[in-house]
Amino acid sequence: APATKCCGHHDAFAILHDCHEHILERLTRLETLGRELKGAEVIDGRHLVVLGDVLTFLDVAVPTHSADEEQTLFPRLRESLGPTAGPTPMDCMEREHVQHQALVAALNRAVVKRDAKAAGQAALSIVAEYREHIGKEEEILFPWARQTLTDPVVVESMTRQMRQRRMDAGMLTC
């Protein structure tokens, strides 16, 4: 995956947003490819180049981003809620993360089988699901989290964890 912007001056919430921007950039490429593949007879070299770039990025960036949420953000939000009698917004996001992994696996299988139409459909499913998921996080979850987690010490701790995760993944050198 290409190096992300230096997050040395970003807080945890800006890091999460930047990550979404990088994912959305790749989704635009994947959407164009998915539409093309749905009408193609074969997956050719041009398709494989785009698929390789997008899938490599998703294989590195998405687990890092999911860890930011599941290991850094969500536990703090759950703690702020205290004991709850029912499901939380974080439960929904975690379920969707698992669903996203299954969608990417379906795309990988279609590519291995060189099934252009199945790859196209899988690609478009990924695009739709990720965009909806990112929309929920950007419009609902992250604004709520920013209002809830206002202690500068907490935000700085989250920021350090997210930066370290990127350093460990080789995605950040600053």
Side-chain angles (χ1 to χ4, degrees):
T4 58
K5 294 183 214 174
C6 178
C7 62
H9 302 291
H10 290 79
D11 72 2
F13 297 106
I15 292 170
L16 291 167
H17 175 75
D18 283 351
C19 211
H20 279 169
E21 291 297 313
H22 291 292
I23 292 167
L24 289 168
E25 288 170 8
R26 288 309 195 294
L27 292 179
T28 298
R29 294 183 66 206
L30 188 59
E31 181 178 33
T32 300
L33 179 65
R35 289 184 177 157
E36 186 177 325
L37 285 171
K38 279 189 72 169
E41 293 300 316
V42 297
I43 298 176
D44 65 26
R46 293 176 302 112
H47 302 135
L48 290 173
V49 168
V50 175
L51 284 163
D53 174 63
V54 171
L55 289 171
T56 299
F57 177 81
L58 293 177
D59 285 347
V60 174
V62 170
T64 301
H65 182 74
S66 293
D68 289 342
E69 294 174 355
E70 294 175 6
Q71 297 171 23
T72 301
L73 178 63
F74 295 173
R76 287 169 174 87
L77 288 172
R78 284 187 173 102
E79 183 179 325
S80 75
L81 287 174
T84 60
T88 69
M90 292 75 69
D91 299 330
C92 174
M93 296 297 104
E94 288 171 331
R95 278 191 306 276
E96 290 181 7
H97 290 168
V98 172
Q99 293 166 348
H100 296 160
Q101 292 171 0
L103 291 171
V104 172
L107 176 56
N108 279 311
R109 283 190 304 276
V111 171
V112 168
K113 291 179 181 179
R114 298 290 177 120
D115 184 336
K117 289 178 184 14
Q121 185 56 51
L124 294 175
S125 293
I126 289 168
V127 170
E129 292 293 325
Y130 269 89
R131 283 183 177 157
E132 182 179 342
H133 179 84
I134 288 170
K136 288 183 222 176
E137 289 183 344
E138 290 288 336
E139 295 169 19
I140 300 166
L141 184 68
F142 293 170
W144 169 61
R146 193 178 279 281
Q147 288 178 341
T148 302
L149 303 174
T150 57
D151 182 341
V153 173
V154 170
V155 174
E156 179 54 33
S157 171
M158 291 170 43
T159 302
R160 277 194 313 275
Q161 287 177 3
M162 291 178 189
R163 286 183 194 145
Q164 187 61 52
R165 198 170 282 122
R166 279 154 185 75
M167 296 285 286
D168 293 346
M171 297 169 58
L172 187 66
T173 56
C174 60

